[in-house]
Amino acid sequence: MNCVDFVELVTEFLEGALPEADERRFIEHLAECSGCESYLDQFRQTIATTGELTPDNISPDARQQLLSAFRGWHRQ
Amino acid sequence: MAGARELPPDEVLVQRLRDGDEQTFTQVLDTWSSGMLRLAMSFVSTKASAEEAVQDTWLAVIKGISDFEGRSSLKTWVYRILVNTAKARGTKESRTVPFASLLPEEEGPTVDTSRFRASGEQYAGHWAVGQEPRPWHVPEDYVLRGEVREVIAEALDELPPRLRTVVTLRDVAGYGSEEVCSLLEISPGNQRVLLHRARAFLRRKLEEYVSGAHDVAGGRGRP
Ligand SMILES: [Zn+2]
């Protein structure tokens, strides 16, 4: 396996979706190539940082409207 | 995923919602709405429209909770309503995101081919000298971490809708691949292609940020 192939297989590797033989070659390459070792590590850091995003929330107005809708629905 | 694990199990949630428990409704509303907003953005043109899709979804949830049969998780059920609502809006806005097959631009390398040694050279297909990824770490400093998150948030907005949808569901909302495949009616293989392309793009943006920040005195530079 070379680096060109390695970088395209990272997600499949992380998902455990690589066939056994490919996974073995992936790991062999990883052990020998510091560039790809960094690439994989950076992929993991990217995923972790993406998971820390606190996205925008709905507006306070919309939130209030939904709370009163919930209240109203159960009074019926 | 923040806060999600503090929610009680589905059976409890559903029963409390059916009983009209406002505290529980507030809790799910506040825990899930932001993720829903981001997901809705993948299907519609404006933030206002996305917010309306989220509101319509919650109204449908309020009315439909008594019919919820528990065949999927509550959150998946809510997200499915959202996807349908947002898709319908997107169609009206002529902005639909079909997922059945990959687009031509979703194939091909995710890393600039000029970073690798050309064929014919020694070690063809390996990182070219000076082009290999250098180790970096996301800063621990609170302010810089905020900047890094901002880089990712901006990069997410730049992604084509299909890639954004998949990476948002997987890496922001924390869904498993099976749930995403069933939610978007997409094959596991295509899901991985879209996810990989999206992640590779985000990694590249972070790499640009990190190397820019290191090159510039004060560490705040951007390429
Ligand atoms: Zn390599």
Side-chain angles (χ1 to χ4, degrees):
Chain A
M1 183 174 297
N2 62 23
C3 308
V4 170
D5 298 326
F6 183 98
V7 297
E8 301 303 343
L9 293 174
V10 170
T11 292
E12 280 180 77
F13 171 72
L14 293 175
E15 305 269 293
L18 279 181
E20 209 175 309
D22 290 342
E23 190 182 75
R24 200 170 52 238
R25 283 187 285 143
F26 185 94
I27 292 168
E28 273 165 21
H29 184 85
L30 181 66
E32 291 166 359
C33 177
S34 60
C36 286
E37 195 175 19
S38 294
Y39 192 85
L40 176 63
D41 186 45
Q42 291 164 2
F43 229 79
R44 285 209 176 92
Q45 291 188 52
T46 303
I47 295 164
T49 310
T50 308
E52 286 176 12
L53 287 183
T54 34
D56 292 346
N57 218 322
I58 53 170
S59 68
D61 272 1
R63 187 175 174 276
Q64 276 314 315
Q65 280 172 31
L66 287 168
L67 289 174
S68 27
F70 182 77
R71 231 169 274 143
W73 181 254
H74 284 277
R75 279 212 204 98
Q76 283 178 14
Chain B
M1 282 303 258
R5 83 191 65 108
E6 291 137 44
L7 288 173
D10 267 11
E11 315 86 81
V12 180
L13 271 187
V14 171
Q15 195 50 53
R16 287 187 190 159
L17 290 175
R18 284 178 181 160
D19 293 344
D21 183 274
E22 274 181 52
Q23 208 193 336
T24 301
F25 181 70
T26 310
Q27 209 183 352
V28 288
L29 184 67
D30 290 343
T31 309
W32 293 345
S33 290
S34 56
M36 290 165 69
L37 196 58
R38 233 170 223 288
L39 179 56
M41 282 299 293
S42 304
F43 298 95
V44 299
S45 323
T46 63
K47 191 178 166 205
S49 184
E51 184 161 291
E52 281 169 33
V54 172
Q55 277 183 278
D56 290 349
T57 300
W58 280 118
L59 292 172
V61 168
I62 294 169
K63 288 179 192 161
I65 189 69
S66 52
D67 300 325
F68 173 70
E69 287 172 346
R71 270 183 290 197
S72 60
S73 75
L74 180 67
K75 194 176 174 191
T76 299
W77 181 70
V78 172
Y79 268 45
R80 230 176 239 143
I81 298 174
L82 175 72
V83 167
N84 290 333
T85 308
K87 258 190 202 164
R89 273 183 171 271
T91 311
K92 265 193 238 154
E93 296 165 4
S94 318
R95 206 186 145 204
T96 45
V97 187
F99 276 92
S101 54
L102 292 177
L103 302 171
E105 64 265 31
E106 287 163 358
E107 278 148 323
T110 56
V111 176
D112 189 346
T113 47
S114 69
R115 293 186 66 171
F116 301 105
R117 296 176 201 226
S119 60
E121 275 181 59
Q122 204 185 4
Y123 303 116
H126 289 254
W127 296 103
V129 177
Q131 289 295 323
E132 63 272 55
R134 312 264 170 82
W136 42 256
H137 65 277
V138 174
E140 277 157 38
D141 177 84
Y142 181 77
V143 177
L144 284 176
R145 280 189 86 75
E147 276 187 37
V148 168
R149 282 194 288 270
E150 190 55 34
V151 171
I152 298 261
E154 280 171 20
L156 271 180
D157 289 339
E158 283 176 46
L159 279 173
R162 290 155 49 106
L163 302 194
R164 183 172 359 120
T165 303
V166 172
V167 77
T168 298
L169 284 169
R170 288 295 311 275
D171 293 346
V172 182
Y175 273 85
S177 59
E178 275 177 37
E179 283 172 303
V180 173
C181 290
S182 103
L183 206 55
L184 301 176
E185 291 164 3
I186 175 182
S187 76
N190 286 359
Q191 190 254 173
R192 281 196 298 271
V193 170
L194 296 170
L195 180 62
H196 185 69
R197 298 193 79 78
R199 285 171 169 177
F201 179 79
L202 300 180
R203 191 211 69 90
R204 194 163 73 238
K205 289 293 178 176
L206 264 192
E207 182 180 54
E208 284 170 12
Y209 168 78
V210 169
S211 52
H214 283 185
D215 289 347
V216 176
R220 295 180 60 90
R222 296 248 184 112

Short mmCIF file of all heavy atoms in Angstrom, two decimals, chain B residues 53-110:
data_model
loop_
_atom_site.label_atom_id
_atom_site.label_comp_id
_atom_site.label_asym_id
_atom_site.label_seq_id
_atom_site.Cartn_x
_atom_site.Cartn_y
_atom_site.Cartn_z
N ALA B 53 -38.53 24.84 9.63
CA ALA B 53 -38.63 23.37 9.49
C ALA B 53 -38.51 22.71 10.87
O ALA B 53 -39.22 21.75 11.17
CB ALA B 53 -37.55 22.86 8.54
N VAL B 54 -37.61 23.24 11.70
CA VAL B 54 -37.45 22.68 13.04
C VAL B 54 -38.72 22.91 13.86
O VAL B 54 -39.21 22.01 14.55
CB VAL B 54 -36.21 23.30 13.75
CG1 VAL B 54 -36.15 22.87 15.22
CG2 VAL B 54 -34.93 22.91 13.03
N GLN B 55 -39.27 24.11 13.76
CA GLN B 55 -40.51 24.40 14.49
C GLN B 55 -41.65 23.48 14.03
O GLN B 55 -42.36 22.92 14.86
CB GLN B 55 -40.92 25.85 14.26
CG GLN B 55 -40.21 26.82 15.18
CD GLN B 55 -40.72 28.24 14.96
OE1 GLN B 55 -40.27 28.91 14.03
NE2 GLN B 55 -41.65 28.67 15.78
N ASP B 56 -41.81 23.35 12.71
CA ASP B 56 -42.87 22.48 12.18
C ASP B 56 -42.68 21.05 12.68
O ASP B 56 -43.65 20.35 12.96
CB ASP B 56 -42.86 22.49 10.64
CG ASP B 56 -43.34 23.83 10.08
OD1 ASP B 56 -43.87 24.64 10.88
OD2 ASP B 56 -43.18 24.06 8.87
N THR B 57 -41.42 20.64 12.75
CA THR B 57 -41.14 19.28 13.22
C THR B 57 -41.59 19.11 14.67
O THR B 57 -42.27 18.14 15.01
CB THR B 57 -39.63 18.98 13.09
OG1 THR B 57 -39.26 19.10 11.72
CG2 THR B 57 -39.31 17.58 13.59
N TRP B 58 -41.24 20.07 15.50
CA TRP B 58 -41.64 19.96 16.91
C TRP B 58 -43.16 19.97 17.06
O TRP B 58 -43.72 19.24 17.89
CB TRP B 58 -40.99 21.06 17.76
CG TRP B 58 -39.56 20.77 18.12
CD1 TRP B 58 -38.46 21.50 17.78
CD2 TRP B 58 -39.07 19.66 18.90
NE1 TRP B 58 -37.32 20.92 18.28
CE2 TRP B 58 -37.66 19.79 18.98
CE3 TRP B 58 -39.68 18.57 19.52
CZ2 TRP B 58 -36.85 18.88 19.66
CZ3 TRP B 58 -38.88 17.66 20.20
CH2 TRP B 58 -37.49 17.82 20.27
N LEU B 59 -43.83 20.78 16.24
CA LEU B 59 -45.29 20.79 16.31
C LEU B 59 -45.84 19.41 15.92
O LEU B 59 -46.76 18.89 16.56
CB LEU B 59 -45.87 21.88 15.39
CG LEU B 59 -45.58 23.31 15.85
CD1 LEU B 59 -46.01 24.32 14.79
CD2 LEU B 59 -46.27 23.61 17.19
N ALA B 60 -45.24 18.81 14.88
CA ALA B 60 -45.67 17.47 14.47
C ALA B 60 -45.38 16.45 15.57
O ALA B 60 -46.16 15.52 15.80
CB ALA B 60 -44.97 17.07 13.17
N VAL B 61 -44.28 16.64 16.28
CA VAL B 61 -43.93 15.73 17.38
C VAL B 61 -44.95 15.85 18.51
O VAL B 61 -45.43 14.85 19.04
CB VAL B 61 -42.49 16.02 17.89
CG1 VAL B 61 -42.22 15.30 19.20
CG2 VAL B 61 -41.47 15.63 16.83
N ILE B 62 -45.30 17.09 18.84
CA ILE B 62 -46.28 17.32 19.91
C ILE B 62 -47.60 16.62 19.57
O ILE B 62 -48.18 15.91 20.39
CB ILE B 62 -46.52 18.84 20.11
CG1 ILE B 62 -45.24 19.51 20.65
CG2 ILE B 62 -47.69 19.09 21.05
CD1 ILE B 62 -45.29 21.04 20.62
N LYS B 63 -48.03 16.79 18.32
CA LYS B 63 -49.31 16.20 17.91
C LYS B 63 -49.22 14.69 17.75
O LYS B 63 -50.19 13.98 17.92
CB LYS B 63 -49.77 16.82 16.59
CG LYS B 63 -50.24 18.24 16.77
CD LYS B 63 -50.68 18.85 15.45
CE LYS B 63 -50.86 20.36 15.65
NZ LYS B 63 -50.85 21.07 14.37
N GLY B 64 -48.03 14.20 17.37
CA GLY B 64 -47.93 12.79 17.00
C GLY B 64 -47.37 11.88 18.07
O GLY B 64 -47.30 10.66 17.87
N ILE B 65 -46.97 12.44 19.21
CA ILE B 65 -46.27 11.62 20.21
C ILE B 65 -47.13 10.45 20.69
O ILE B 65 -46.61 9.37 21.00
CB ILE B 65 -45.75 12.48 21.40
CG1 ILE B 65 -44.84 11.69 22.33
CG2 ILE B 65 -46.89 13.11 22.19
CD1 ILE B 65 -43.51 11.31 21.74
N SER B 66 -48.46 10.64 20.68
CA SER B 66 -49.32 9.53 21.14
C SER B 66 -49.30 8.38 20.13
O SER B 66 -49.61 7.24 20.48
CB SER B 66 -50.75 10.02 21.36
OG SER B 66 -51.20 10.70 20.22
N ASP B 67 -48.93 8.66 18.88
CA ASP B 67 -48.88 7.60 17.86
C ASP B 67 -47.50 6.97 17.73
O ASP B 67 -47.32 6.03 16.96
CB ASP B 67 -49.25 8.17 16.47
CG ASP B 67 -50.65 8.76 16.47
OD1 ASP B 67 -51.52 8.20 17.18
OD2 ASP B 67 -50.87 9.78 15.78
N PHE B 68 -46.52 7.50 18.45
CA PHE B 68 -45.15 6.97 18.33
C PHE B 68 -45.12 5.51 18.81
O PHE B 68 -45.56 5.20 19.91
CB PHE B 68 -44.19 7.83 19.17
CG PHE B 68 -42.80 7.27 19.26
CD1 PHE B 68 -41.96 7.26 18.15
CD2 PHE B 68 -42.32 6.75 20.46
CE1 PHE B 68 -40.67 6.75 18.23
CE2 PHE B 68 -41.02 6.24 20.55
CZ PHE B 68 -40.21 6.24 19.43
N GLU B 69 -44.61 4.63 17.92
CA GLU B 69 -44.70 3.20 18.24
C GLU B 69 -43.41 2.60 18.78
O GLU B 69 -43.37 1.42 19.12
CB GLU B 69 -45.13 2.42 16.98
CG GLU B 69 -46.61 2.66 16.65
CD GLU B 69 -47.01 2.08 15.32
OE1 GLU B 69 -46.11 1.72 14.52
OE2 GLU B 69 -48.22 1.99 15.07
N GLY B 70 -42.38 3.38 18.82
CA GLY B 70 -41.14 2.89 19.40
C GLY B 70 -40.38 1.90 18.54
O GLY B 70 -39.59 1.11 19.05
N ARG B 71 -40.64 1.94 17.21
CA ARG B 71 -39.89 1.01 16.35
C ARG B 71 -38.48 1.52 16.08
O ARG B 71 -37.59 0.76 15.75
CB ARG B 71 -40.65 0.78 15.04
CG ARG B 71 -41.60 -0.40 15.17
CD ARG B 71 -42.30 -0.68 13.86
NE ARG B 71 -43.24 0.41 13.57
CZ ARG B 71 -44.22 0.31 12.69
NH1 ARG B 71 -44.38 -0.79 12.00
NH2 ARG B 71 -45.05 1.31 12.49
N SER B 72 -38.28 2.83 16.19
CA SER B 72 -36.94 3.39 16.17
C SER B 72 -36.79 4.16 17.47
O SER B 72 -37.73 4.26 18.25
CB SER B 72 -36.78 4.33 14.97
OG SER B 72 -37.72 5.38 15.07
N SER B 73 -35.58 4.72 17.69
CA SER B 73 -35.44 5.55 18.88
C SER B 73 -36.27 6.82 18.69
O SER B 73 -36.60 7.19 17.56
CB SER B 73 -33.97 5.91 19.11
OG SER B 73 -33.56 6.90 18.18
N LEU B 74 -36.61 7.46 19.79
CA LEU B 74 -37.41 8.69 19.71
C LEU B 74 -36.68 9.73 18.87
O LEU B 74 -37.27 10.41 18.03
CB LEU B 74 -37.68 9.22 21.12
CG LEU B 74 -38.51 10.51 21.18
CD1 LEU B 74 -39.93 10.27 20.69
CD2 LEU B 74 -38.52 11.09 22.59
N LYS B 75 -35.37 9.85 19.08
CA LYS B 75 -34.60 10.86 18.38
C LYS B 75 -34.59 10.60 16.87
O LYS B 75 -34.72 11.51 16.07
CB LYS B 75 -33.17 10.92 18.93
CG LYS B 75 -32.43 12.15 18.50
CD LYS B 75 -31.06 12.20 19.15
CE LYS B 75 -30.25 13.36 18.59
NZ LYS B 75 -28.83 13.28 19.00
N THR B 76 -34.44 9.32 16.51
CA THR B 76 -34.48 8.98 15.09
C THR B 76 -35.84 9.32 14.49
O THR B 76 -35.93 9.86 13.38
CB THR B 76 -34.17 7.48 14.89
OG1 THR B 76 -32.86 7.22 15.39
CG2 THR B 76 -34.21 7.08 13.42
N TRP B 77 -36.89 9.03 15.25
CA TRP B 77 -38.25 9.35 14.78
C TRP B 77 -38.38 10.87 14.55
O TRP B 77 -38.88 11.30 13.52
CB TRP B 77 -39.24 8.84 15.83
CG TRP B 77 -40.69 9.06 15.50
CD1 TRP B 77 -41.42 8.44 14.53
CD2 TRP B 77 -41.58 9.95 16.18
NE1 TRP B 77 -42.71 8.89 14.57
CE2 TRP B 77 -42.84 9.81 15.57
CE3 TRP B 77 -41.44 10.84 17.25
CZ2 TRP B 77 -43.97 10.55 15.98
CZ3 TRP B 77 -42.55 11.56 17.68
CH2 TRP B 77 -43.79 11.41 17.05
N VAL B 78 -37.90 11.64 15.50
CA VAL B 78 -37.96 13.10 15.39
C VAL B 78 -37.14 13.57 14.18
O VAL B 78 -37.60 14.39 13.38
CB VAL B 78 -37.46 13.78 16.68
CG1 VAL B 78 -37.33 15.29 16.51
CG2 VAL B 78 -38.37 13.46 17.86
N TYR B 79 -35.93 13.02 14.04
CA TYR B 79 -35.07 13.42 12.92
C TYR B 79 -35.68 13.05 11.58
O TYR B 79 -35.50 13.74 10.59
CB TYR B 79 -33.67 12.78 13.06
CG TYR B 79 -32.69 13.64 13.80
CD1 TYR B 79 -33.04 14.28 14.98
CD2 TYR B 79 -31.40 13.82 13.32
CE1 TYR B 79 -32.13 15.08 15.66
CE2 TYR B 79 -30.48 14.62 14.00
CZ TYR B 79 -30.85 15.24 15.16
OH TYR B 79 -29.95 16.02 15.82
N ARG B 80 -36.40 11.92 11.54
CA ARG B 80 -37.02 11.50 10.29
C ARG B 80 -38.11 12.49 9.89
O ARG B 80 -38.24 12.85 8.73
CB ARG B 80 -37.62 10.10 10.45
CG ARG B 80 -37.17 9.21 9.33
CD ARG B 80 -37.65 7.80 9.49
NE ARG B 80 -36.49 6.95 9.54
CZ ARG B 80 -36.38 5.87 10.29
NH1 ARG B 80 -37.38 5.52 11.10
NH2 ARG B 80 -35.29 5.17 10.26
N ILE B 81 -38.89 12.92 10.88
CA ILE B 81 -39.91 13.94 10.59
C ILE B 81 -39.23 15.20 10.07
O ILE B 81 -39.66 15.81 9.10
CB ILE B 81 -40.75 14.26 11.85
CG1 ILE B 81 -41.50 13.01 12.33
CG2 ILE B 81 -41.73 15.40 11.57
CD1 ILE B 81 -42.22 13.19 13.66
N LEU B 82 -38.12 15.55 10.71
CA LEU B 82 -37.40 16.76 10.30
C LEU B 82 -36.90 16.65 8.86
O LEU B 82 -37.06 17.59 8.07
CB LEU B 82 -36.21 17.02 11.24
CG LEU B 82 -35.33 18.19 10.80
CD1 LEU B 82 -36.04 19.52 11.02
CD2 LEU B 82 -33.99 18.18 11.51
N VAL B 83 -36.28 15.50 8.54
CA VAL B 83 -35.75 15.34 7.18
C VAL B 83 -36.87 15.47 6.16
O VAL B 83 -36.73 16.17 5.15
CB VAL B 83 -35.00 13.99 7.04
CG1 VAL B 83 -34.72 13.66 5.58
CG2 VAL B 83 -33.69 14.03 7.83
N ASN B 84 -38.02 14.83 6.44
CA ASN B 84 -39.15 14.92 5.51
C ASN B 84 -39.66 16.36 5.39
O ASN B 84 -39.95 16.84 4.30
CB ASN B 84 -40.28 13.99 5.93
CG ASN B 84 -39.89 12.53 5.71
OD1 ASN B 84 -39.07 12.23 4.84
ND2 ASN B 84 -40.43 11.64 6.52
N THR B 85 -39.78 17.03 6.54
CA THR B 85 -40.27 18.41 6.54
C THR B 85 -39.31 19.32 5.78
O THR B 85 -39.72 20.13 4.94
CB THR B 85 -40.39 18.91 8.00
OG1 THR B 85 -41.15 17.97 8.74
CG2 THR B 85 -41.07 20.26 8.06
N ALA B 86 -38.02 19.17 6.07
CA ALA B 86 -37.02 20.04 5.45
C ALA B 86 -36.90 19.74 3.95
O ALA B 86 -36.74 20.64 3.14
CB ALA B 86 -35.67 19.87 6.15
N LYS B 87 -36.99 18.45 3.60
CA LYS B 87 -36.93 18.07 2.19
C LYS B 87 -38.08 18.71 1.42
O LYS B 87 -37.89 19.21 0.32
CB LYS B 87 -37.06 16.55 2.05
CG LYS B 87 -35.75 15.83 1.81
CD LYS B 87 -36.05 14.38 1.44
CE LYS B 87 -34.84 13.51 1.71
NZ LYS B 87 -35.21 12.09 1.73
N ALA B 88 -39.31 18.65 2.00
CA ALA B 88 -40.47 19.23 1.34
C ALA B 88 -40.27 20.73 1.12
O ALA B 88 -40.59 21.27 0.06
CB ALA B 88 -41.74 18.97 2.17
N ARG B 89 -39.72 21.40 2.13
CA ARG B 89 -39.40 22.83 1.99
C ARG B 89 -38.35 23.06 0.92
O ARG B 89 -38.47 23.98 0.11
CB ARG B 89 -38.81 23.36 3.30
CG ARG B 89 -39.84 23.81 4.23
CD ARG B 89 -39.21 24.41 5.48
NE ARG B 89 -40.29 25.01 6.21
CZ ARG B 89 -40.70 26.25 6.05
NH1 ARG B 89 -40.09 27.07 5.24
NH2 ARG B 89 -41.74 26.69 6.71
N GLY B 90 -37.33 22.21 0.92
CA GLY B 90 -36.25 22.34 -0.06
C GLY B 90 -36.77 22.18 -1.48
O GLY B 90 -36.33 22.87 -2.40
N THR B 91 -37.73 21.26 -1.65
CA THR B 91 -38.31 21.04 -2.98
C THR B 91 -39.02 22.30 -3.43
O THR B 91 -38.88 22.73 -4.58
CB THR B 91 -39.32 19.87 -2.93
OG1 THR B 91 -38.68 18.77 -2.29
CG2 THR B 91 -39.73 19.45 -4.33
N LYS B 92 -39.75 22.92 -2.51
CA LYS B 92 -40.45 24.18 -2.84
C LYS B 92 -39.44 25.25 -3.22
O LYS B 92 -39.69 26.09 -4.07
CB LYS B 92 -41.30 24.65 -1.66
CG LYS B 92 -42.76 24.20 -1.76
CD LYS B 92 -43.61 24.95 -0.75
CE LYS B 92 -44.31 23.98 0.17
NZ LYS B 92 -44.64 24.52 1.47
N GLU B 93 -38.30 25.22 -2.54
CA GLU B 93 -37.26 26.21 -2.84
C GLU B 93 -36.35 25.71 -3.97
O GLU B 93 -35.28 26.26 -4.20
CB GLU B 93 -36.41 26.46 -1.59
CG GLU B 93 -37.19 27.10 -0.45
CD GLU B 93 -36.43 27.00 0.89
OE1 GLU B 93 -35.28 26.52 0.88
OE2 GLU B 93 -37.00 27.40 1.90
N SER B 94 -36.77 24.64 -4.64
CA SER B 94 -35.98 23.99 -5.69
C SER B 94 -34.58 23.63 -5.21
O SER B 94 -33.60 23.83 -5.90
CB SER B 94 -35.84 24.85 -6.94
OG SER B 94 -37.03 25.47 -7.24
N ARG B 95 -34.52 23.17 -4.00
CA ARG B 95 -33.20 22.79 -3.50
C ARG B 95 -33.31 21.42 -2.85
O ARG B 95 -33.53 21.30 -1.66
CB ARG B 95 -32.76 23.83 -2.47
CG ARG B 95 -31.27 23.87 -2.40
CD ARG B 95 -30.71 24.73 -1.36
NE ARG B 95 -29.51 24.02 -0.92
CZ ARG B 95 -28.97 24.18 0.25
NH1 ARG B 95 -29.49 24.99 1.12
NH2 ARG B 95 -27.91 23.52 0.59
N THR B 96 -33.20 20.40 -3.64
CA THR B 96 -33.34 19.05 -3.10
C THR B 96 -31.98 18.37 -3.05
O THR B 96 -31.10 18.66 -3.84
CB THR B 96 -34.29 18.19 -3.94
OG1 THR B 96 -33.95 18.39 -5.30
CG2 THR B 96 -35.73 18.57 -3.71
N VAL B 97 -31.84 17.50 -2.12
CA VAL B 97 -30.58 16.78 -1.96
C VAL B 97 -30.84 15.28 -2.08
O VAL B 97 -31.03 14.62 -1.09
CB VAL B 97 -29.95 17.09 -0.59
CG1 VAL B 97 -28.57 16.47 -0.49
CG2 VAL B 97 -29.86 18.60 -0.37
N PRO B 98 -30.89 14.75 -3.32
CA PRO B 98 -31.10 13.31 -3.44
C PRO B 98 -29.80 12.56 -3.11
O PRO B 98 -28.72 13.05 -3.40
CB PRO B 98 -31.46 13.13 -4.92
CG PRO B 98 -30.87 14.32 -5.61
CD PRO B 98 -30.67 15.41 -4.60
N PHE B 99 -29.95 11.41 -2.49
CA PHE B 99 -28.76 10.71 -2.01
C PHE B 99 -28.52 9.37 -2.69
O PHE B 99 -27.57 8.69 -2.36
CB PHE B 99 -28.89 10.47 -0.50
CG PHE B 99 -28.43 11.64 0.31
CD1 PHE B 99 -29.34 12.61 0.71
CD2 PHE B 99 -27.10 11.78 0.66
CE1 PHE B 99 -28.92 13.70 1.45
CE2 PHE B 99 -26.68 12.86 1.40
CZ PHE B 99 -27.59 13.83 1.80
N ALA B 100 -29.43 8.98 -3.60
CA ALA B 100 -29.40 7.60 -4.08
C ALA B 100 -28.02 7.18 -4.61
O ALA B 100 -27.54 6.11 -4.30
CB ALA B 100 -30.46 7.39 -5.15
N SER B 101 -27.37 8.02 -5.40
CA SER B 101 -26.07 7.60 -5.95
C SER B 101 -25.07 8.74 -5.81
O SER B 101 -25.41 9.87 -5.53
CB SER B 101 -26.23 7.21 -7.41
OG SER B 101 -26.83 8.28 -8.11
N LEU B 102 -23.82 8.39 -6.03
CA LEU B 102 -22.76 9.39 -5.90
C LEU B 102 -22.71 10.28 -7.14
O LEU B 102 -23.02 9.86 -8.24
CB LEU B 102 -21.41 8.69 -5.73
CG LEU B 102 -21.22 7.95 -4.41
CD1 LEU B 102 -19.87 7.25 -4.41
CD2 LEU B 102 -21.32 8.90 -3.22
N LEU B 103 -22.32 11.52 -6.95
CA LEU B 103 -22.14 12.44 -8.07
C LEU B 103 -20.69 12.32 -8.56
O LEU B 103 -19.81 11.91 -7.81
CB LEU B 103 -22.39 13.87 -7.59
CG LEU B 103 -23.77 14.15 -6.98
CD1 LEU B 103 -23.81 15.54 -6.36
CD2 LEU B 103 -24.85 14.01 -8.04
N PRO B 104 -20.47 12.68 -9.84
CA PRO B 104 -19.10 12.57 -10.39
C PRO B 104 -18.08 13.31 -9.51
O PRO B 104 -16.97 12.81 -9.30
CB PRO B 104 -19.22 13.24 -11.76
CG PRO B 104 -20.66 13.25 -12.09
CD PRO B 104 -21.43 13.18 -10.82
N GLU B 105 -18.47 14.49 -8.98
CA GLU B 105 -17.49 15.27 -8.20
C GLU B 105 -17.24 14.65 -6.82
O GLU B 105 -16.42 15.15 -6.07
CB GLU B 105 -17.94 16.73 -8.08
CG GLU B 105 -19.22 16.96 -7.32
CD GLU B 105 -20.44 17.04 -8.25
OE1 GLU B 105 -20.41 16.39 -9.31
OE2 GLU B 105 -21.40 17.75 -7.90
N GLU B 106 -17.99 13.59 -6.52
CA GLU B 106 -17.76 12.94 -5.23
C GLU B 106 -16.82 11.75 -5.36
O GLU B 106 -16.66 10.96 -4.44
CB GLU B 106 -19.09 12.52 -4.61
CG GLU B 106 -19.85 13.74 -4.10
CD GLU B 106 -21.31 13.47 -3.85
OE1 GLU B 106 -21.78 12.35 -4.11
OE2 GLU B 106 -21.99 14.41 -3.42
N GLU B 107 -16.22 11.60 -6.54
CA GLU B 107 -15.22 10.58 -6.70
C GLU B 107 -13.87 11.25 -6.95
O GLU B 107 -13.81 12.46 -7.15
CB GLU B 107 -15.61 9.63 -7.83
CG GLU B 107 -16.62 8.60 -7.31
CD GLU B 107 -17.62 8.13 -8.34
OE1 GLU B 107 -18.08 8.95 -9.16
OE2 GLU B 107 -17.96 6.96 -8.31
N GLY B 108 -12.82 10.46 -6.90
CA GLY B 108 -11.50 11.05 -7.11
C GLY B 108 -10.82 11.33 -5.79
O GLY B 108 -11.41 11.18 -4.73
N PRO B 109 -9.53 11.73 -5.87
CA PRO B 109 -8.72 11.85 -4.65
C PRO B 109 -9.20 12.95 -3.71
O PRO B 109 -9.72 13.98 -4.15
CB PRO B 109 -7.32 12.18 -5.18
CG PRO B 109 -7.50 12.60 -6.60
CD PRO B 109 -8.78 12.03 -7.09
N THR B 110 -9.01 12.73 -2.41
CA THR B 110 -9.39 13.74 -1.42
C THR B 110 -8.19 14.55 -0.95
O THR B 110 -8.33 15.50 -0.21
CB THR B 110 -10.06 13.09 -0.19
OG1 THR B 110 -9.17 12.12 0.35
CG2 THR B 110 -11.38 12.44 -0.54
#
